[in-house]
Amino acid sequence: MSDNCIFCKIVSGAVPSTKIYEDNDVIAFNDIRPSASVHFLIVPKLHIDSLASCENEHQALLGKMLLLAPKLAKQQGLAGFKTLINTGVEGGQEVFHIHVHVMGGGDKSRNN
Ligand code: AMP
Ligand code: ZN
């Protein structure tokens, strides 16, 4: 848990979200500003700033997040989807708690 991290607050339940999945390690919820008809985020419960902060010890967690993407996408009715991990300010990252975007079902105007 990192103070003032919006995704840690979602993980703890202090901030509400539209949760679509949860287990011991990860949570997935709909993006509050979707850029596609279906747009959710896969987020580890462990606070890690970004992909650039990951170490070998996070390998299994990263694999778990990626393997969840097609399963949750299918549950959300998607036949195909895009994944995105923004990394660093210059990589467009706004929330510094690592997350995988999963998007599909037709773009909205915002280009994430
Ligand atoms: P990124 O630019 O990769 O850091 O993306 C952060 C994403 O988190 C953006 O697409 C935001 O719309 C989304 N986001 C920020 N706050 C919330 C929230 N409280 N609930 C759901 N999604 C959020
Ligand atoms: Zn966090």
Side-chain angles (χ1 to χ4, degrees):
M1 175 82 181
S2 179
D3 290 347
N4 296 321
C5 170
I6 184 75
F7 287 178
C8 282
K9 288 179 181 169
I10 286 175
V11 166
S12 75
V15 166
S17 69
T18 310
K19 204 186 301 178
I20 64 166
Y21 177 83
E22 181 171 15
D23 66 24
N24 285 338
D25 303 312
V26 299
I27 187 170
F29 51 87
N30 287 329
D31 197 294
I32 207 166
R33 291 187 296 142
S35 57
S37 300
V38 175
H39 184 174
F40 60 88
L41 305 173
I42 301 174
V43 179
K45 290 189 170 178
L46 177 69
H47 179 93
I48 305 169
D49 284 351
S50 78
L51 188 58
S53 307
C54 287
E55 306 281 357
N56 286 345
E57 70 195 76
H58 301 124
Q59 185 169 322
L61 183 59
L62 290 170
K64 181 170 188 171
M65 289 164 67
L66 278 185
L67 287 172
L68 259 176
K71 291 178 185 157
L72 297 182
K74 192 173 177 187
Q75 281 177 18
Q76 295 298 306
L78 297 177
F81 59 91
K82 297 175 187 176
T83 51
L84 176 70
I85 304 176
N86 292 323
T87 303
V89 173
E90 293 184 2
Q93 187 175 1
E94 293 174 2
V95 176
F96 280 78
H97 179 135
I98 188 173
H99 51 280
V100 178
H101 294 256
V102 180
M103 295 159 283
D107 285 350
K108 292 191 175 172
S109 56
R110 181 166 162 247
N111 186 20
N112 214 6

